[in-house]
């Protein structure tokens, strides 16, 4: 894939990545560089291999067959659709799990404050709403100051209003901490709202690699926003009524 103009030093480098399940090739020789601090959204139909790709970057796919080269930063964090909090640990314990004592406590408290959960340190996960649990998951990932944040449909289980609030929060956190981000989503508007760059995965390859230079905050009603949406939906095989598919 051709490098983008002004591309930053890569935080992620992927070359000729192949992943197969039995006879089925899911990733068919994928190349990708993600720059330091670059926010990339990955779109694709269900079953196109988005999670397979993210798991490869996370180093969570030892059982799968494949070849190719993969360079990722040591400090990386992963966020999934479900917050995956330990129910028998408090909020702060979930955030600081595995961090050293005193400094960890302080960092955990700060991270919780950053996601708007100041004062909820001793709450149990089942006392939190779905959105709050996902805030804890974000705090847990950021407290390690990752150079790469991998997120697999992190807001997929949340209601629409909560999702919009989480978009604002993620945007703020990323602007402050500047990790490289790979956000897997099937929500085209979420991708356009948040990302510097959008990839579409189809039949084992990236069929779109689009730089989004809309100014923030991005207005969903904006004409260019709508054009990009139509283009991406076309790539995803969705016809927008009243328009020709791309
Ligand atoms: N552990 C597995 N064993 C066999 N097939 C799998 C496994 N995980 C995923 N697949 C298959 O690989 C394809 C891609 O899956 P996935 O990466 O989860 O897609 P997406 O996240 O885009 O929905 C799907 O056809 C899925 O059924
Ligand atoms: Mg998936």
């Amino acid at each position: 894939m051709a490098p983008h103009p002004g591309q930053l030093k890569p935080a992620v480098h992927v070359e000729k990545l192949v992943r197969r399940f039995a006879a089925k090739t899911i990733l068919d020789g994928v190349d990708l560089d993600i720059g330091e601090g670059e926010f990339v959204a990955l779109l694709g139909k269900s079953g196109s291999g988005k999670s397979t790709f993210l798991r490869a970057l996370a180093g969570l796919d030892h059982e799968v067959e494949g070849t190719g080269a993969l360079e990722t930063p040591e400090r990386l964090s992963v966020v999934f659709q479900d917050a995956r909090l330990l129910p028998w640990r408090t909020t702060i314990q979930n955030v600081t799990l595995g961090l050293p004592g005193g400094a960890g406590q302080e960092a955990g408290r700060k991270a919780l404050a950053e996601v708007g959960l100041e004062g909820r340190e001793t709450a149990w996960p089942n006392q939190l709403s779905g959105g709050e649990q996902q805030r804890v998951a974000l705090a847990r990932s950021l407290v390690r100051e990752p150079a790469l944040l991998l997120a697999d449909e992190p807001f997929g289980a949340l209601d629409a209003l909560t999702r919009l609030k989480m978009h604002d929060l993620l945007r703020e956190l990323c602007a402050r901490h500047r990790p490289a981000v790979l956000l897997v989503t099937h929500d085209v508007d979420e991708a356009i709202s948040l990302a510097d760059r959008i990839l579409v995965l189809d039949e084992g390859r990236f069929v779109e690699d689009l730089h989004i230079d809309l100014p923030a905050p991005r207005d969903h009603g904006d004409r260019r926003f709508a054009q990009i949406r139509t283009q991406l939906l076309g790539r995803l095989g969705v016809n927008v009524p009243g328009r020709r598919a791309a």
Side-chain angles (χ1 to χ4, degrees):
M1 192 174 298
H4 284 281
Q7 190 159 31
L8 305 161
K9 190 170 153 235
V12 170
H13 178 71
V14 177
E15 220 174 297
K16 300 191 179 70
L17 191 74
V18 174
R19 288 293 182 266
R20 282 190 202 93
F21 290 112
K24 200 165 154 201
T25 300
I26 309 299
L27 301 174
D28 189 13
V30 166
D31 297 326
L32 180 69
D33 280 344
I34 299 180
E36 282 180 352
E38 190 175 36
F39 194 131
V40 178
L42 175 58
L43 290 168
K45 291 175 205 163
S46 178
S48 59
K50 303 182 296 295
S51 295
T52 302
F53 184 66
L54 181 134
R55 280 199 301 271
L57 293 191
L60 295 174
D61 67 340
H62 300 296
E63 84 290 355
V64 68
E65 195 190 322
T67 55
L70 203 53
E71 288 164 33
T72 52
E74 215 165 282
R75 279 180 300 119
L76 65 81
S77 294
V78 193
V79 183
F80 295 100
Q81 181 164 332
D82 52 329
R84 302 191 181 189
L85 306 181
L86 299 174
W88 57 88
R89 303 265 182 164
T90 62
T91 298
I92 184 110
Q93 286 170 341
N94 267 284
V95 170
T96 58
L97 205 69
L99 294 181
Q105 285 296 306
E106 192 44 47
R109 221 175 286 282
K110 200 167 143 241
L112 278 172
E114 271 197 75
V115 300
L117 289 176
E118 203 165 8
R120 305 300 300 279
E121 289 83 1
T122 56
W124 300 98
N126 69 6
Q127 296 172 319
L128 302 175
S129 69
E132 287 169 337
Q133 291 185 26
Q134 221 34 342
R135 285 172 189 266
V136 177
L138 273 181
R140 181 180 55 192
S141 64
L142 288 170
V143 81
R144 287 162 179 80
E145 289 288 343
L148 175 64
L149 176 64
L150 300 168
D152 195 348
E153 313 228 16
F155 313 131
L158 304 177
D159 66 85
L161 262 180
T162 307
R163 195 151 64 222
L164 289 178
K165 286 188 195 151
M166 294 298 282
H167 290 171
D168 290 340
L169 175 63
L170 183 62
R171 200 183 288 115
E172 268 173 47
L173 292 174
C174 288
R176 201 171 314 135
H177 296 270
R178 302 297 300 164
V181 182
L182 183 77
L183 169 74
V184 166
T185 177
H186 58 250
D187 181 339
V188 172
D189 278 33
E190 178 168 293
I192 307 171
S193 298
L194 294 172
D196 302 321
R197 180 179 171 199
I198 300 179
L199 304 169
V200 178
L201 184 61
D202 190 32
E203 312 234 321
R205 298 286 182 102
F206 295 128
V207 294
E208 187 77 75
D209 184 354
L210 200 61
H211 268 250
I212 310 295
D213 55 4
L214 300 177
R218 293 177 180 171
D219 176 1
H220 290 225
D222 178 77
R223 187 178 53 84
R224 286 180 58 216
F225 197 114
Q227 281 170 350
I228 295 168
R229 182 193 290 125
T230 304
Q231 179 178 347
L232 290 169
L233 286 171
R235 274 295 191 195
L236 294 164
V238 181
N239 286 318
V240 181
R243 296 176 197 260
R244 270 183 305 130

